[in-house]
């Protein structure tokens, strides 16, 4: 499969997150030209602010490695991530620590971006490609933020004035 195909997969995952009332960020991790893990935000579902798409996918790679009797460190160091939104500083730091070799993302994360927009925490040996289908990623985010977040605390909810 091509990089376009992998980004298509990431957008499919992001759209499922949107349907589940999560911030629509989706990612896939590719090893040996196979998707071995996907991740979408699970922050609202779990009420855990660290359950970002990339963190979910890293956990799945570790599980994949264990199930296939592979060294997870080796797998991660030889894997690529495709994600619809630039990883935040927390996720970019995690991606650096696990040594992912390539990160391809959609739109910039102008508030929390950890690859290029706010900070560049990626290592110099990680390839980072941004701006892939950025407008589509932004449109997904706009769809999420236009509607009321049913998982938000009552005092934080946006009340619609129709």
């Amino acid at each position: 499969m091509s990089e376009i195909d992998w980004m298509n997969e990431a957008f499919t995952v992001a759209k499922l997150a949107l349907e589940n009332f999560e911030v629509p960020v989706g990612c896939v991790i590719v090893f040996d030209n196979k998707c071995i893990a996907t991740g979408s935000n699970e922050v609202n579902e779990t009420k855990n602010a660290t359950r970002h798409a990339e963190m979910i996918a890293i956990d799945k790679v570790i599980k994949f490695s264990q199930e296939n009797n592979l060294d997870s460190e080796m797998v991660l160091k030889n894997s690529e991530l495709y994600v619809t939104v630039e990883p935040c500083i927390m996720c970019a730091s995690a991606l650096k620590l696990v040594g992912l070799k390539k990160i391809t993302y959609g739109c910039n994360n102008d508030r929390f971006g950890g690859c290029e927009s706010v900070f560049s925490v990626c290592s110099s040996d990680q390839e980072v490609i941004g701006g892939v289908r950025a407008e589509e990623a932004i449109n997904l985010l706009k769809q999420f933020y236009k509607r009321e977040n049913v998982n938000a605390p009552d005092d934080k909810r946006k009340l619609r004035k129709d």
Side-chain angles (χ1 to χ4, degrees), residues 12 16 79 153:
T12 297
L16 290 172
S79 293

Side-chain angles (χ1 to χ4, degrees), residues 15-31:
K15 290 172 186 172
L16 290 172
L18 180 64
E19 290 174 15
N20 290 319
F21 299 95
E22 294 284 354
V23 175
V25 177
C27 72
V28 297
I29 294 181
V30 177
F31 172 71

